[in-house]
Amino acid sequence: MVSAGYAEVIKQKIIELSFTKIAGEAGRKGDLLVTREAGREIAAHLTSLLLGKSADTCMILDFADVEFMDASFADEVFGNLVVARSRRQLEPRCFFLRDLNETCLFNLRACLDSRPNREDQLLRNSFVPVIVNANTIEFVGKYENHIFETFELLKKRKIITTHDVMDAFSVSMPAASTRLKGVYDLGLAIREEIRDEQGMQYKYYWPL
Amino acid sequence: MKIDISYLSEPRDFEVLYEALSNAYDRGYHGILAIDLSDCRFIAVPGHMALITAGRFWHQLTGQPISLMNIAPDIHAYIDRMLILDRCSKYIQIAEDLTLEKGFLRSAATVKLLEVTSIASEVKKNVCDVEAVVRQANRILHTWFPNSEERVGGLLTVLAAITENVVHSQDQGFVMIQRYQTLGDALGSRVDIVITDLGIGIEESLRPRVETMSVPERQLLFPKGSDYLIYALKQGVSRRATGGGMGLHQVKELVGQWHGQLLIRSLASKISIDERGTVIQEDLLTYVPGTQVVFRVWGSWLASDMALC
């Protein structure tokens, strides 16, 4: 059964935060984000902010007031964050970036595209989801196709289960379950534990 | 002792200056070194960077400044306007007691250039300096290119990358930006961004990364000094301790996209990339500590036409 009530709850758990304000809380001006050292200061604050929210909260980091962000800063904040997340060193937390101007996006891409080459160990999924417009979310960085496919399915249907993924992609139940867990661990979905006649399962919700 | 410098326009002119300075020192002269600029009619920003580099190097060697003599009035006015004498007074002096007859106007509203600005290598101070210079450059670039966020963003990216890299030099850096209006429609304007430091150089700054390689691998990759500069431009090169290594790669990418020029000189090696993307490596140059970077792009920078040629 679709838990429509929970879908409404999710909508209430979307938090929109100005990244400029986050930077300000860490002692920076926030409109021009430069250097690795400044990134370090803000990264600590951002991580603590993310982990301070519950797992069913989705944060939208708004860059509308950020005029410029260089690649070093982006690497220290988002590069390290996605690496930690990819290596499961960080609890799953849902966040998206929004309203990056062309230069900020260019520099974010520069750091995340090159990050796998600068790591000693293999990185599978090290990306940040960026809201480009009402209909498009871009994964900036490295990602596996099945993650993107499953995410697009979730975007289309808003609520999916293992059975939906099995049917959509003709994969086994373990494979479908792995896909969905992957999407969840990468902060791209909210999930609800459901107990019904079939036992315990998860429903995955579109977080936005 | 006096050395004559007729030109300070092209990189080969800078080598003449550095070689003359080095020869003077090797001959045992350790006093104030006079640079006669009587034949020099114009010095572009990279030339001024070479003078600052030479002045700092001479001061490092001898404790004395270089002294500029027989300077054309326009050059004197420009040096004054760029605050070179003010901010580099320890390293550069003017020989004669010149009266500045026609100075260039300077005011809060003057936004034609970024005067020579010091960038610290100490990490916390570097953040403040880089932020301040990017903030000022942002204002300046938006007045030059009011309808081209992409160009402004790209130039700020270059500026942020090369100024932050001063951290790795372990020495103070000096940065300048200038826009020139060129004659003839084909090229439009030119923007020069230059930075100089007298630090450890790129080869030494890559040591943490290089030391993880085997000796044969190192010998294969770096048979000569300029190979370190080539390596520094590669994507994904990491200074393992700091996790950095993207900045110069980004600068190189933008040079390629915009058909610009890039020159990187470090210690006794140099690489230059021209507007066609041709890379020239030079080694066994006169040793000058530290790193100098010249980034140059041309374009038709009219407010209504942002197309680059």
Side-chain angles (χ1 to χ4, degrees):
Chain A
M1 290 287 290
V2 169
S3 178
Y6 196 73
E8 281 309 306
V9 168
I10 283 171
K11 283 212 177 326
Q12 293 167 25
K13 291 196 174 219
I14 296 173
I15 298 176
E16 298 187 13
L17 281 179
S18 155
F19 197 84
T20 298
K21 187 161 176 273
I22 292 173
E25 288 165 0
R28 291 274 143 213
K29 246 185 157 173
D31 56 337
L32 299 175
L33 304 171
V34 293
T35 77
R36 196 164 285 282
E37 177 64 20
R40 239 170 245 136
E41 293 168 12
I42 288 165
H45 180 59
L46 177 65
T47 304
S48 138
L49 211 63
L50 286 172
L51 294 178
K53 303 283 180 249
S54 59
D56 57 358
T57 304
C58 178
M59 283 181 62
I60 298 177
L61 304 177
D62 190 289
F63 275 70
D65 294 328
V66 176
E67 274 195 69
F68 177 75
M69 175 175 67
D70 75 1
S72 294
F73 179 95
D75 194 46
E76 203 58 34
V77 176
F78 298 108
N80 287 348
L81 195 63
V82 300
V83 166
R85 187 165 65 179
S86 179
R87 302 208 196 288
R88 292 187 163 71
Q89 292 162 352
L90 205 67
E91 288 171 31
R93 288 295 184 272
C94 184
F95 71 90
F96 293 75
L97 271 53
R98 186 180 69 190
D99 278 333
L100 282 88
N101 62 32
E102 278 303 317
T103 302
C104 290
L105 203 49
F106 172 79
N107 287 326
L108 182 68
R109 263 195 207 104
C111 78
L112 292 182
D113 284 352
S114 69
R115 190 63 190 239
N117 295 338
R118 291 182 283 122
E119 289 290 315
D120 289 334
Q121 298 166 38
L122 180 67
L123 262 186
R124 282 221 175 87
N125 292 288
S126 52
F127 63 90
V128 167
V130 175
I131 301 171
V132 177
N133 55 46
N135 300 318
T136 310
I137 292 173
E138 180 187 337
F139 285 5
V140 177
K142 181 182 174 187
Y143 57 90
E144 292 173 301
N145 274 341
H146 69 84
I147 295 290
F148 190 73
E149 285 171 351
T150 311
F151 177 74
E152 286 289 300
L153 181 71
L154 179 61
K155 187 171 116 187
K156 193 172 161 190
R157 301 215 191 148
K158 305 303 180 208
I159 305 172
I160 56 177
T161 64
T162 309
H163 288 284
D164 296 319
V165 174
M166 284 170 69
D167 292 340
F169 301 113
S170 304
V171 295
S172 66
M173 181 172 281
S177 183
T178 300
R179 277 185 175 233
L180 282 168
K181 185 163 188 309
V183 166
Y184 173 72
D185 285 344
L186 292 166
L188 299 170
I190 308 289
R191 73 180 181 185
E192 180 190 18
E193 191 179 302
I194 303 284
R195 284 191 181 274
D196 58 18
E197 60 278 0
Q198 291 172 343
M200 195 274 284
Q201 63 168 327
Y202 287 108
K203 278 195 188 327
Y204 292 82
Y205 293 84
W206 178 245
L208 296 171
Chain B
M1 179 178 267
K2 177 173 78 86
I3 56 181
D4 296 314
I5 295 294
S6 301
Y7 304 100
L8 271 175
S9 304
E10 299 298 325
R12 58 177 176 269
D13 306 326
F14 314 157
E15 298 305 324
V16 169
L17 172 63
Y18 300 147
E19 191 177 341
L21 185 151
S22 186
N23 287 342
Y25 183 78
D26 289 343
R27 272 189 243 129
Y29 179 72
H30 297 171
I32 295 175
L33 185 66
I35 312 284
D36 191 327
L37 298 173
S38 48
D39 289 332
C40 212
R41 290 294 134 226
F42 176 74
I43 304 177
V45 154
H48 288 284
M49 178 205 70
L51 282 174
I52 292 173
T53 304
R56 295 191 71 217
F57 187 29
W58 188 253
H59 188 265
Q60 189 181 78
L61 289 172
T62 66
Q64 301 288 345
I66 60 173
S67 181
L68 307 181
M69 54 189 291
N70 297 324
I71 317 170
D74 280 356
I75 295 176
H76 182 209
Y78 187 79
I79 289 174
D80 177 70
R81 174 68 183 85
M82 282 297 247
L83 299 180
I84 290 172
L85 297 177
D86 183 68
R87 293 178 178 172
C88 302
S89 56
K90 217 165 51 169
Y91 321 115
I92 299 179
Q93 293 175 359
I94 301 286
E96 295 97 0
D97 193 15
L98 295 172
T99 310
L100 192 60
E101 290 171 12
K102 275 192 203 175
F104 292 132
L105 293 174
R106 183 186 306 120
S107 70
T110 306
V111 287
K112 293 296 184 192
L113 49 78
L114 184 86
E115 296 94 347
V116 67
T117 304
S118 166
I119 305 291
S121 61
E122 188 277 321
V123 170
K124 298 276 186 211
K125 184 83 180 40
N126 179 265
V127 177
C128 297
D129 289 349
V130 173
E131 200 176 288
V133 84
V134 166
R135 190 173 296 285
Q136 191 182 354
N138 187 34
R139 185 173 55 88
I140 292 169
L141 292 170
H142 273 104
T143 64
W144 291 352
F145 317 121
N147 298 323
S148 184
E149 286 302 324
E150 191 202 340
R151 298 288 177 258
V152 171
L155 291 168
L156 288 179
T157 294
V158 170
L159 183 65
I162 64 175
T163 48
E164 191 185 354
N165 271 354
V166 171
V167 161
H168 305 298
S169 76
Q170 300 175 21
D171 177 59
Q172 185 184 33
F174 288 91
V175 66
M176 286 179 278
I177 301 180
Q178 174 72 67
R179 171 192 166 192
Y180 296 93
Q181 199 74 30
T182 58
L183 298 173
D185 294 332
L187 293 177
S189 306
R190 187 183 92 203
V191 173
D192 286 352
I193 301 177
V194 301
I195 193 163
T196 176
D197 68 69
L198 284 195
I200 60 174
I202 287 175
E203 179 177 336
E204 186 61 29
S205 77
L206 286 175
R207 190 167 294 280
R209 168 72 170 158
V210 169
E211 270 173 354
T212 66
M213 298 176 183
S214 64
V215 170
E217 193 183 356
R218 236 180 284 170
Q219 286 170 345
L220 190 68
L221 277 175
F222 310 112
K224 44 193 192 304
S226 58
D227 291 317
Y228 286 96
L229 312 189
I230 296 288
Y231 188 74
L233 294 176
K234 281 171 60 168
Q235 186 190 46
V237 172
S238 173
R239 291 181 184 83
R240 191 141 301 163
T242 61
M246 292 174 295
L248 285 180
H249 175 73
Q250 277 200 294
V251 172
K252 180 188 152 223
E253 289 291 290
L254 285 165
V255 164
Q257 276 178 37
W258 291 352
H259 304 290
Q261 289 178 348
L262 179 66
L263 181 147
I264 303 175
R265 192 192 195 285
S266 192
L267 308 182
S269 301
K270 181 168 69 180
I271 57 170
S272 48
I273 303 176
D274 70 11
E275 52 274 22
R276 286 178 297 271
T278 307
V279 180
I280 297 174
Q281 293 178 237
E282 293 175 66
D283 290 277
L284 303 176
L285 302 171
T286 302
Y287 176 85
V288 175
T291 304
Q292 296 80 47
V293 179
V294 177
F295 173 92
R296 174 176 284 178
V297 288
W298 289 265
S300 180
W301 305 100
L302 300 170
S304 59
D305 178 9
M306 288 297 124
L308 269 181
C309 45

